[in-house]
Amino acid sequence: MEKRWVINEPGDEETVASLMKSLGVNYLIANLLVQRGITTFDMAKKFFRPNLDDLHDPFLMKDMDKAVERIEKAIANQERVMIYGDYDVDGTTSVALVYSYLRKHFDFIDYYIPDRYSEGYGVSNTGIDYAAEHNVTLMIALDCGIKAVQKIAYAKEKGIDFIICDHHTPGDSLPKAVAVLDPKREDCNYPCDALSGCGVGFKLMHGLSKKMNWPFKDLIPLLDLLAVSIASDIVPITGENRVLAHFGLIQLNNSPRLGFKTILNLAGVEKDLSVNDIVFKIGPRINAAGRIQSGNRAVQLLIADTEESATLIGDTINVMNEDRKELDHSITDEALEKVAKSNQLLAKKSTVLFDRNWHKGVIGIVASRMIETYYKPTVILTESNGFATGSARSVDGFDLYQAISDCSDLLENFGGHKYAAGLTMKIENVGEFQRRFEQYVVNNISDDMLIPQVKIDAHIKLSDITPKFYRIIKQFEPFGPKNMTPVFVSERVLDYGYSRAVGRNKEHLKLSVVDDIREGDVKSGIAFSMGNLHDRISSGVPFDVCYSLQENDYMGKVETQLMVRDIKF
């Protein structure tokens, strides 16, 4: 698939020069910082040296005082409390975090994860009924609830108060809960509006500990859950999220809870974890429980307090993850075939597919995989409880949430973000939704948006890649949205004579490249799925290479290598 290279604007020259002087770094490093909004010595200090003292006061969040007061009352009266959360990684880590922290303060506290298939996303009447049957008087909803106006009213009729902790975009009116914590509320001035659902739950516990004068150090063991939620929910890793992710990774690497330790053993992870490792090794396994069976299993794993129970649940979840892989690969193949066989679908600027036999638990993954082949806004739908329900994914720059909102009269409900959303509609509305969604995309997407782009931070020479340069780049971690791994381009590089096609089918390319054959400063690199370029590269023609940097540890020899994103001749 052709890729569009987009070079980021260099930082303001005066600001870059000032930062070079105050930090004692070269132009490349100073420019990378300014591109990320780091423009002063003090900002750089906070960036490179995250500190828990820099966390925002939780009471800056709208309704925090009401939420804390209601929990205080529940503790004083020893009310029966239920923690309610979504079945994905953000939801289950949220529930595990709040439940773990509060359970020592209540005689009765329970948690509830709705069933993806019988109840669907968000607060459900079934969950409220279950709470009422168990005489619960306070429910804390995590990673959901911001649009549950009718459900919260139903709970009130049952004598149940709600505290909502969500990070999704609110609807036209807020639920009549005791407190609605959501930094995306228009009337909320909290400094970080990009918290994960688990992040909002953490801030509630932070607020409670502050009000009750409980030691802050008791919150530290919860940060591994927060790091997993931040990484898996793909929220910006800047500001407060960067501080939380930084210390969460330290917790995860040094003192992980038993559930995470079990997952890491099953995944064969032996090195220090990065955000990337969480996204590909931990997140899918936690998600698999909610996709294949029940998110309750994920929470059980995350709050396990014996190695025996953690191992037992971990093994079960690992099997679910293998089942999930088989399902998502087979359904992706079916979806790709549907498009490939239809000239009408190929010609569209969006992909909307419905198949009543597809497994609801993996259609979000299928939507993401479809975009890897057909780079266009994608909605994958299946049948659940007599409705067409599904997941949507977008391409860079296109506001998917707005596109779905434009079709809201056809929907029973929907929710999400700019790049990912969930939606439900009557099956008879699918055809009209396909037509309207396509029309919106045609009217609002540019041709450039339909070509995958590689965002490049800077042009550099291979000779710029020194051990010192890479050491400083590593201090930019943790990487993620708004602080992505720096991507560079080096122009007119040459094969040094050792490049070769590797892999079972010679599908990958192992590179050895130089700026100038006469200088011999050779850099090695790996280019996945580019083995077909070997003959052209080894013929001696110069080429431009776009890449990020990674440490490669092979048989005890550690070197910096290029992780190639694209090659152009």
Side-chain angles (χ1 to χ4, degrees), residues 129-162:
D129 290 342
Y130 177 87
E133 286 163 16
H134 290 79
N135 300 316
V136 166
T137 50
L138 175 63
M139 292 176 74
I140 302 174
L142 298 153
D143 192 33
C144 62
I146 195 63
K147 287 186 170 182
V149 176
Q150 293 173 333
K151 302 289 173 34
I152 304 308
Y154 176 70
K156 205 167 185 61
E157 290 172 12
K158 298 264 182 181
I160 300 172
D161 285 342
F162 252 93

PDB file of all heavy atoms in Angstrom, residues 129-162:
ATOM      1  N   ASP A 129     -30.706  -4.107  38.411  1.00  0.00           N
ATOM      2  CA  ASP A 129     -31.584  -5.065  39.100  1.00  0.00           C
ATOM      3  C   ASP A 129     -30.777  -5.956  40.044  1.00  0.00           C
ATOM      4  O   ASP A 129     -31.198  -6.231  41.176  1.00  0.00           O
ATOM      5  CB  ASP A 129     -32.336  -5.934  38.089  1.00  0.00           C
ATOM      6  CG  ASP A 129     -33.392  -5.140  37.325  1.00  0.00           C
ATOM      7  OD1 ASP A 129     -33.775  -4.049  37.791  1.00  0.00           O
ATOM      8  OD2 ASP A 129     -33.826  -5.603  36.253  1.00  0.00           O
ATOM      9  N   TYR A 130     -29.605  -6.398  39.553  1.00  0.00           N
ATOM     10  CA  TYR A 130     -28.730  -7.237  40.378  1.00  0.00           C
ATOM     11  C   TYR A 130     -28.314  -6.474  41.637  1.00  0.00           C
ATOM     12  O   TYR A 130     -28.327  -7.021  42.750  1.00  0.00           O
ATOM     13  CB  TYR A 130     -27.494  -7.644  39.561  1.00  0.00           C
ATOM     14  CG  TYR A 130     -26.484  -8.458  40.331  1.00  0.00           C
ATOM     15  CD1 TYR A 130     -26.594  -9.842  40.422  1.00  0.00           C
ATOM     16  CD2 TYR A 130     -25.399  -7.847  40.971  1.00  0.00           C
ATOM     17  CE1 TYR A 130     -25.658 -10.594  41.131  1.00  0.00           C
ATOM     18  CE2 TYR A 130     -24.464  -8.574  41.685  1.00  0.00           C
ATOM     19  CZ  TYR A 130     -24.599  -9.956  41.756  1.00  0.00           C
ATOM     20  OH  TYR A 130     -23.680 -10.696  42.468  1.00  0.00           O
ATOM     21  N   ALA A 131     -27.972  -5.198  41.458  1.00  0.00           N
ATOM     22  CA  ALA A 131     -27.567  -4.373  42.602  1.00  0.00           C
ATOM     23  C   ALA A 131     -28.717  -4.217  43.596  1.00  0.00           C
ATOM     24  O   ALA A 131     -28.529  -4.335  44.814  1.00  0.00           O
ATOM     25  CB  ALA A 131     -27.102  -3.002  42.115  1.00  0.00           C
ATOM     26  N   ALA A 132     -29.923  -3.964  43.071  1.00  0.00           N
ATOM     27  CA  ALA A 132     -31.103  -3.781  43.936  1.00  0.00           C
ATOM     28  C   ALA A 132     -31.394  -5.051  44.734  1.00  0.00           C
ATOM     29  O   ALA A 132     -31.718  -4.987  45.928  1.00  0.00           O
ATOM     30  CB  ALA A 132     -32.307  -3.387  43.089  1.00  0.00           C
ATOM     31  N   GLU A 133     -31.256  -6.212  44.077  1.00  0.00           N
ATOM     32  CA  GLU A 133     -31.494  -7.504  44.746  1.00  0.00           C
ATOM     33  C   GLU A 133     -30.525  -7.713  45.909  1.00  0.00           C
ATOM     34  O   GLU A 133     -30.827  -8.430  46.866  1.00  0.00           O
ATOM     35  CB  GLU A 133     -31.350  -8.654  43.743  1.00  0.00           C
ATOM     36  CG  GLU A 133     -32.513  -8.770  42.769  1.00  0.00           C
ATOM     37  CD  GLU A 133     -32.162  -9.624  41.547  1.00  0.00           C
ATOM     38  OE1 GLU A 133     -31.139 -10.357  41.616  1.00  0.00           O
ATOM     39  OE2 GLU A 133     -32.893  -9.545  40.537  1.00  0.00           O
ATOM     40  N   HIS A 134     -29.344  -7.095  45.800  1.00  0.00           N
ATOM     41  CA  HIS A 134     -28.333  -7.260  46.852  1.00  0.00           C
ATOM     42  C   HIS A 134     -28.273  -6.046  47.779  1.00  0.00           C
ATOM     43  O   HIS A 134     -27.272  -5.830  48.482  1.00  0.00           O
ATOM     44  CB  HIS A 134     -26.963  -7.537  46.222  1.00  0.00           C
ATOM     45  CG  HIS A 134     -26.858  -8.891  45.591  1.00  0.00           C
ATOM     46  ND1 HIS A 134     -27.383  -9.180  44.338  1.00  0.00           N
ATOM     47  CD2 HIS A 134     -26.315 -10.059  46.050  1.00  0.00           C
ATOM     48  CE1 HIS A 134     -27.157 -10.439  44.047  1.00  0.00           C
ATOM     49  NE2 HIS A 134     -26.516 -11.007  45.061  1.00  0.00           N
ATOM     50  N   ASN A 135     -29.360  -5.265  47.746  1.00  0.00           N
ATOM     51  CA  ASN A 135     -29.497  -4.107  48.652  1.00  0.00           C
ATOM     52  C   ASN A 135     -28.365  -3.075  48.519  1.00  0.00           C
ATOM     53  O   ASN A 135     -27.985  -2.430  49.505  1.00  0.00           O
ATOM     54  CB  ASN A 135     -29.603  -4.587  50.111  1.00  0.00           C
ATOM     55  CG  ASN A 135     -30.810  -5.484  50.319  1.00  0.00           C
ATOM     56  OD1 ASN A 135     -31.902  -5.172  49.828  1.00  0.00           O
ATOM     57  ND2 ASN A 135     -30.611  -6.611  50.993  1.00  0.00           N
ATOM     58  N   VAL A 136     -27.828  -2.942  47.312  1.00  0.00           N
ATOM     59  CA  VAL A 136     -26.802  -1.936  47.048  1.00  0.00           C
ATOM     60  C   VAL A 136     -27.468  -0.558  47.009  1.00  0.00           C
ATOM     61  O   VAL A 136     -28.537  -0.384  46.425  1.00  0.00           O
ATOM     62  CB  VAL A 136     -26.091  -2.233  45.703  1.00  0.00           C
ATOM     63  CG1 VAL A 136     -25.275  -1.033  45.231  1.00  0.00           C
ATOM     64  CG2 VAL A 136     -25.205  -3.474  45.835  1.00  0.00           C
ATOM     65  N   THR A 137     -26.836   0.420  47.638  1.00  0.00           N
ATOM     66  CA  THR A 137     -27.391   1.786  47.629  1.00  0.00           C
ATOM     67  C   THR A 137     -26.498   2.791  46.898  1.00  0.00           C
ATOM     68  O   THR A 137     -26.887   3.930  46.680  1.00  0.00           O
ATOM     69  CB  THR A 137     -27.619   2.286  49.067  1.00  0.00           C
ATOM     70  OG1 THR A 137     -26.413   2.072  49.823  1.00  0.00           O
ATOM     71  CG2 THR A 137     -28.778   1.543  49.718  1.00  0.00           C
ATOM     72  N   LEU A 138     -25.277   2.354  46.526  1.00  0.00           N
ATOM     73  CA  LEU A 138     -24.383   3.223  45.759  1.00  0.00           C
ATOM     74  C   LEU A 138     -23.654   2.403  44.694  1.00  0.00           C
ATOM     75  O   LEU A 138     -23.024   1.383  45.007  1.00  0.00           O
ATOM     76  CB  LEU A 138     -23.351   3.893  46.681  1.00  0.00           C
ATOM     77  CG  LEU A 138     -22.279   4.739  45.974  1.00  0.00           C
ATOM     78  CD1 LEU A 138     -22.901   5.925  45.241  1.00  0.00           C
ATOM     79  CD2 LEU A 138     -21.214   5.224  46.975  1.00  0.00           C
ATOM     80  N   MET A 139     -23.754   2.856  43.446  1.00  0.00           N
ATOM     81  CA  MET A 139     -23.007   2.235  42.352  1.00  0.00           C
ATOM     82  C   MET A 139     -22.022   3.270  41.796  1.00  0.00           C
ATOM     83  O   MET A 139     -22.376   4.428  41.594  1.00  0.00           O
ATOM     84  CB  MET A 139     -23.943   1.753  41.238  1.00  0.00           C
ATOM     85  CG  MET A 139     -24.819   0.581  41.653  1.00  0.00           C
ATOM     86  SD  MET A 139     -26.010   0.083  40.369  1.00  0.00           S
ATOM     87  CE  MET A 139     -24.950  -0.730  39.178  1.00  0.00           C
ATOM     88  N   ILE A 140     -20.798   2.828  41.547  1.00  0.00           N
ATOM     89  CA  ILE A 140     -19.778   3.683  40.919  1.00  0.00           C
ATOM     90  C   ILE A 140     -19.510   3.117  39.526  1.00  0.00           C
ATOM     91  O   ILE A 140     -18.997   1.995  39.396  1.00  0.00           O
ATOM     92  CB  ILE A 140     -18.487   3.726  41.759  1.00  0.00           C
ATOM     93  CG1 ILE A 140     -18.781   4.247  43.171  1.00  0.00           C
ATOM     94  CG2 ILE A 140     -17.434   4.602  41.073  1.00  0.00           C
ATOM     95  CD1 ILE A 140     -17.583   4.179  44.119  1.00  0.00           C
ATOM     96  N   ALA A 141     -19.917   3.854  38.500  1.00  0.00           N
ATOM     97  CA  ALA A 141     -19.759   3.401  37.108  1.00  0.00           C
ATOM     98  C   ALA A 141     -18.435   3.926  36.559  1.00  0.00           C
ATOM     99  O   ALA A 141     -18.131   5.119  36.657  1.00  0.00           O
ATOM    100  CB  ALA A 141     -20.916   3.899  36.250  1.00  0.00           C
ATOM    101  N   LEU A 142     -17.656   3.028  35.964  1.00  0.00           N
ATOM    102  CA  LEU A 142     -16.330   3.372  35.449  1.00  0.00           C
ATOM    103  C   LEU A 142     -16.227   3.090  33.959  1.00  0.00           C
ATOM    104  O   LEU A 142     -16.662   2.027  33.492  1.00  0.00           O
ATOM    105  CB  LEU A 142     -15.269   2.571  36.206  1.00  0.00           C
ATOM    106  CG  LEU A 142     -15.211   2.874  37.709  1.00  0.00           C
ATOM    107  CD1 LEU A 142     -14.672   1.683  38.481  1.00  0.00           C
ATOM    108  CD2 LEU A 142     -14.343   4.096  37.965  1.00  0.00           C
ATOM    109  N   ASP A 143     -15.668   4.046  33.215  1.00  0.00           N
ATOM    110  CA  ASP A 143     -15.479   3.919  31.764  1.00  0.00           C
ATOM    111  C   ASP A 143     -16.803   3.775  31.019  1.00  0.00           C
ATOM    112  O   ASP A 143     -16.846   3.243  29.923  1.00  0.00           O
ATOM    113  CB  ASP A 143     -14.548   2.728  31.451  1.00  0.00           C
ATOM    114  CG  ASP A 143     -14.082   2.722  29.996  1.00  0.00           C
ATOM    115  OD1 ASP A 143     -13.903   3.809  29.423  1.00  0.00           O
ATOM    116  OD2 ASP A 143     -13.919   1.613  29.434  1.00  0.00           O
ATOM    117  N   CYS A 144     -17.869   4.218  31.606  1.00  0.00           N
ATOM    118  CA  CYS A 144     -19.180   4.176  30.953  1.00  0.00           C
ATOM    119  C   CYS A 144     -20.135   5.045  31.771  1.00  0.00           C
ATOM    120  O   CYS A 144     -19.790   5.507  32.853  1.00  0.00           O
ATOM    121  CB  CYS A 144     -19.712   2.743  30.852  1.00  0.00           C
ATOM    122  SG  CYS A 144     -19.983   1.925  32.440  1.00  0.00           S
ATOM    123  N   GLY A 145     -21.349   5.257  31.248  1.00  0.00           N
ATOM    124  CA  GLY A 145     -22.395   5.930  32.021  1.00  0.00           C
ATOM    125  C   GLY A 145     -22.690   7.358  31.622  1.00  0.00           C
ATOM    126  O   GLY A 145     -23.725   7.902  32.021  1.00  0.00           O
ATOM    127  N   ILE A 146     -21.826   7.979  30.819  1.00  0.00           N
ATOM    128  CA  ILE A 146     -21.999   9.401  30.530  1.00  0.00           C
ATOM    129  C   ILE A 146     -23.276   9.677  29.730  1.00  0.00           C
ATOM    130  O   ILE A 146     -23.823  10.778  29.781  1.00  0.00           O
ATOM    131  CB  ILE A 146     -20.753   9.991  29.812  1.00  0.00           C
ATOM    132  CG1 ILE A 146     -20.766  11.528  29.847  1.00  0.00           C
ATOM    133  CG2 ILE A 146     -20.657   9.492  28.378  1.00  0.00           C
ATOM    134  CD1 ILE A 146     -20.689  12.123  31.212  1.00  0.00           C
ATOM    135  N   LYS A 147     -23.779   8.656  29.016  1.00  0.00           N
ATOM    136  CA  LYS A 147     -25.016   8.846  28.243  1.00  0.00           C
ATOM    137  C   LYS A 147     -26.191   8.052  28.818  1.00  0.00           C
ATOM    138  O   LYS A 147     -27.259   7.989  28.208  1.00  0.00           O
ATOM    139  CB  LYS A 147     -24.789   8.425  26.788  1.00  0.00           C
ATOM    140  CG  LYS A 147     -23.918   9.404  25.995  1.00  0.00           C
ATOM    141  CD  LYS A 147     -23.873   8.990  24.533  1.00  0.00           C
ATOM    142  CE  LYS A 147     -23.232  10.066  23.683  1.00  0.00           C
ATOM    143  NZ  LYS A 147     -23.231   9.682  22.251  1.00  0.00           N
ATOM    144  N   ALA A 148     -25.990   7.454  29.994  1.00  0.00           N
ATOM    145  CA  ALA A 148     -27.002   6.549  30.555  1.00  0.00           C
ATOM    146  C   ALA A 148     -28.095   7.304  31.316  1.00  0.00           C
ATOM    147  O   ALA A 148     -28.392   7.001  32.481  1.00  0.00           O
ATOM    148  CB  ALA A 148     -26.319   5.523  31.460  1.00  0.00           C
ATOM    149  N   VAL A 149     -28.707   8.269  30.662  1.00  0.00           N
ATOM    150  CA  VAL A 149     -29.706   9.124  31.321  1.00  0.00           C
ATOM    151  C   VAL A 149     -30.868   8.304  31.861  1.00  0.00           C
ATOM    152  O   VAL A 149     -31.250   8.421  33.039  1.00  0.00           O
ATOM    153  CB  VAL A 149     -30.212  10.211  30.341  1.00  0.00           C
ATOM    154  CG1 VAL A 149     -31.312  11.046  30.988  1.00  0.00           C
ATOM    155  CG2 VAL A 149     -29.050  11.108  29.895  1.00  0.00           C
ATOM    156  N   GLN A 150     -31.442   7.447  31.017  1.00  0.00           N
ATOM    157  CA  GLN A 150     -32.613   6.648  31.431  1.00  0.00           C
ATOM    158  C   GLN A 150     -32.233   5.590  32.466  1.00  0.00           C
ATOM    159  O   GLN A 150     -32.995   5.332  33.407  1.00  0.00           O
ATOM    160  CB  GLN A 150     -33.248   5.993  30.201  1.00  0.00           C
ATOM    161  CG  GLN A 150     -33.872   7.019  29.248  1.00  0.00           C
ATOM    162  CD  GLN A 150     -34.348   6.372  27.953  1.00  0.00           C
ATOM    163  OE1 GLN A 150     -33.830   5.341  27.530  1.00  0.00           O
ATOM    164  NE2 GLN A 150     -35.337   6.994  27.323  1.00  0.00           N
ATOM    165  N   LYS A 151     -31.047   4.991  32.311  1.00  0.00           N
ATOM    166  CA  LYS A 151     -30.624   3.931  33.239  1.00  0.00           C
ATOM    167  C   LYS A 151     -30.392   4.500  34.648  1.00  0.00           C
ATOM    168  O   LYS A 151     -30.754   3.866  35.648  1.00  0.00           O
ATOM    169  CB  LYS A 151     -29.339   3.251  32.720  1.00  0.00           C
ATOM    170  CG  LYS A 151     -29.485   2.635  31.331  1.00  0.00           C
ATOM    171  CD  LYS A 151     -30.356   1.415  31.354  1.00  0.00           C
ATOM    172  CE  LYS A 151     -30.685   0.831  30.006  1.00  0.00           C
ATOM    173  NZ  LYS A 151     -29.739   0.885  28.946  1.00  0.00           N
ATOM    174  N   ILE A 152     -29.827   5.678  34.709  1.00  0.00           N
ATOM    175  CA  ILE A 152     -29.575   6.283  36.020  1.00  0.00           C
ATOM    176  C   ILE A 152     -30.896   6.678  36.682  1.00  0.00           C
ATOM    177  O   ILE A 152     -31.064   6.546  37.909  1.00  0.00           O
ATOM    178  CB  ILE A 152     -28.638   7.515  35.894  1.00  0.00           C
ATOM    179  CG1 ILE A 152     -27.318   7.134  35.208  1.00  0.00           C
ATOM    180  CG2 ILE A 152     -28.383   8.150  37.255  1.00  0.00           C
ATOM    181  CD1 ILE A 152     -26.583   5.956  35.786  1.00  0.00           C
ATOM    182  N   ALA A 153     -31.862   7.112  35.863  1.00  0.00           N
ATOM    183  CA  ALA A 153     -33.198   7.430  36.393  1.00  0.00           C
ATOM    184  C   ALA A 153     -33.864   6.160  36.929  1.00  0.00           C
ATOM    185  O   ALA A 153     -34.522   6.173  37.978  1.00  0.00           O
ATOM    186  CB  ALA A 153     -34.053   8.058  35.296  1.00  0.00           C
ATOM    187  N   TYR A 154     -33.674   5.042  36.200  1.00  0.00           N
ATOM    188  CA  TYR A 154     -34.222   3.746  36.622  1.00  0.00           C
ATOM    189  C   TYR A 154     -33.601   3.325  37.964  1.00  0.00           C
ATOM    190  O   TYR A 154     -34.304   2.846  38.880  1.00  0.00           O
ATOM    191  CB  TYR A 154     -33.942   2.702  35.539  1.00  0.00           C
ATOM    192  CG  TYR A 154     -34.376   1.299  35.881  1.00  0.00           C
ATOM    193  CD1 TYR A 154     -35.731   0.966  35.946  1.00  0.00           C
ATOM    194  CD2 TYR A 154     -33.433   0.297  36.127  1.00  0.00           C
ATOM    195  CE1 TYR A 154     -36.139  -0.336  36.257  1.00  0.00           C
ATOM    196  CE2 TYR A 154     -33.828  -0.996  36.429  1.00  0.00           C
ATOM    197  CZ  TYR A 154     -35.184  -1.303  36.503  1.00  0.00           C
ATOM    198  OH  TYR A 154     -35.589  -2.588  36.800  1.00  0.00           O
ATOM    199  N   ALA A 155     -32.283   3.531  38.108  1.00  0.00           N
ATOM    200  CA  ALA A 155     -31.599   3.173  39.356  1.00  0.00           C
ATOM    201  C   ALA A 155     -32.136   4.005  40.518  1.00  0.00           C
ATOM    202  O   ALA A 155     -32.314   3.495  41.633  1.00  0.00           O
ATOM    203  CB  ALA A 155     -30.091   3.396  39.202  1.00  0.00           C
ATOM    204  N   LYS A 156     -32.417   5.268  40.258  1.00  0.00           N
ATOM    205  CA  LYS A 156     -32.932   6.163  41.298  1.00  0.00           C
ATOM    206  C   LYS A 156     -34.267   5.650  41.827  1.00  0.00           C
ATOM    207  O   LYS A 156     -34.536   5.692  43.040  1.00  0.00           O
ATOM    208  CB  LYS A 156     -33.083   7.574  40.727  1.00  0.00           C
ATOM    209  CG  LYS A 156     -33.010   8.682  41.772  1.00  0.00           C
ATOM    210  CD  LYS A 156     -32.858  10.029  41.105  1.00  0.00           C
ATOM    211  CE  LYS A 156     -32.671  11.140  42.122  1.00  0.00           C
ATOM    212  NZ  LYS A 156     -31.483  10.991  42.960  1.00  0.00           N
ATOM    213  N   GLU A 157     -35.104   5.147  40.891  1.00  0.00           N
ATOM    214  CA  GLU A 157     -36.396   4.570  41.293  1.00  0.00           C
ATOM    215  C   GLU A 157     -36.194   3.378  42.230  1.00  0.00           C
ATOM    216  O   GLU A 157     -37.037   3.079  43.075  1.00  0.00           O
ATOM    217  CB  GLU A 157     -37.174   4.108  40.058  1.00  0.00           C
ATOM    218  CG  GLU A 157     -37.692   5.247  39.172  1.00  0.00           C
ATOM    219  CD  GLU A 157     -38.274   4.714  37.868  1.00  0.00           C
ATOM    220  OE1 GLU A 157     -38.484   3.479  37.762  1.00  0.00           O
ATOM    221  OE2 GLU A 157     -38.492   5.522  36.950  1.00  0.00           O
ATOM    222  N   LYS A 158     -35.065   2.694  42.057  1.00  0.00           N
ATOM    223  CA  LYS A 158     -34.766   1.510  42.872  1.00  0.00           C
ATOM    224  C   LYS A 158     -34.044   1.892  44.169  1.00  0.00           C
ATOM    225  O   LYS A 158     -33.611   1.020  44.934  1.00  0.00           O
ATOM    226  CB  LYS A 158     -33.874   0.547  42.074  1.00  0.00           C
ATOM    227  CG  LYS A 158     -34.511   0.010  40.805  1.00  0.00           C
ATOM    228  CD  LYS A 158     -35.120  -1.335  41.059  1.00  0.00           C
ATOM    229  CE  LYS A 158     -35.724  -1.950  39.818  1.00  0.00           C
ATOM    230  NZ  LYS A 158     -36.328  -3.258  40.101  1.00  0.00           N
ATOM    231  N   GLY A 159     -33.848   3.192  44.381  1.00  0.00           N
ATOM    232  CA  GLY A 159     -33.175   3.630  45.607  1.00  0.00           C
ATOM    233  C   GLY A 159     -31.667   3.534  45.541  1.00  0.00           C
ATOM    234  O   GLY A 159     -30.988   3.424  46.573  1.00  0.00           O
ATOM    235  N   ILE A 160     -31.107   3.562  44.315  1.00  0.00           N
ATOM    236  CA  ILE A 160     -29.649   3.438  44.140  1.00  0.00           C
ATOM    237  C   ILE A 160     -29.075   4.749  43.610  1.00  0.00           C
ATOM    238  O   ILE A 160     -29.531   5.268  42.590  1.00  0.00           O
ATOM    239  CB  ILE A 160     -29.314   2.288  43.163  1.00  0.00           C
ATOM    240  CG1 ILE A 160     -29.841   0.952  43.698  1.00  0.00           C
ATOM    241  CG2 ILE A 160     -27.805   2.210  42.919  1.00  0.00           C
ATOM    242  CD1 ILE A 160     -29.739  -0.200  42.718  1.00  0.00           C
ATOM    243  N   ASP A 161     -28.081   5.262  44.304  1.00  0.00           N
ATOM    244  CA  ASP A 161     -27.355   6.441  43.833  1.00  0.00           C
ATOM    245  C   ASP A 161     -26.221   6.017  42.899  1.00  0.00           C
ATOM    246  O   ASP A 161     -25.661   4.917  43.058  1.00  0.00           O
ATOM    247  CB  ASP A 161     -26.744   7.214  45.007  1.00  0.00           C
ATOM    248  CG  ASP A 161     -27.782   8.009  45.784  1.00  0.00           C
ATOM    249  OD1 ASP A 161     -28.869   8.242  45.228  1.00  0.00           O
ATOM    250  OD2 ASP A 161     -27.500   8.393  46.940  1.00  0.00           O
ATOM    251  N   PHE A 162     -25.855   6.904  41.987  1.00  0.00           N
ATOM    252  CA  PHE A 162     -24.776   6.626  41.041  1.00  0.00           C
ATOM    253  C   PHE A 162     -23.709   7.710  41.111  1.00  0.00           C
ATOM    254  O   PHE A 162     -24.004   8.893  41.203  1.00  0.00           O
ATOM    255  CB  PHE A 162     -25.311   6.597  39.604  1.00  0.00           C
ATOM    256  CG  PHE A 162     -25.375   5.219  38.994  1.00  0.00           C
ATOM    257  CD1 PHE A 162     -26.539   4.469  39.072  1.00  0.00           C
ATOM    258  CD2 PHE A 162     -24.277   4.681  38.341  1.00  0.00           C
ATOM    259  CE1 PHE A 162     -26.618   3.205  38.518  1.00  0.00           C
ATOM    260  CE2 PHE A 162     -24.339   3.413  37.777  1.00  0.00           C
ATOM    261  CZ  PHE A 162     -25.509   2.669  37.864  1.00  0.00           C
TER     262      PHE A 162
END
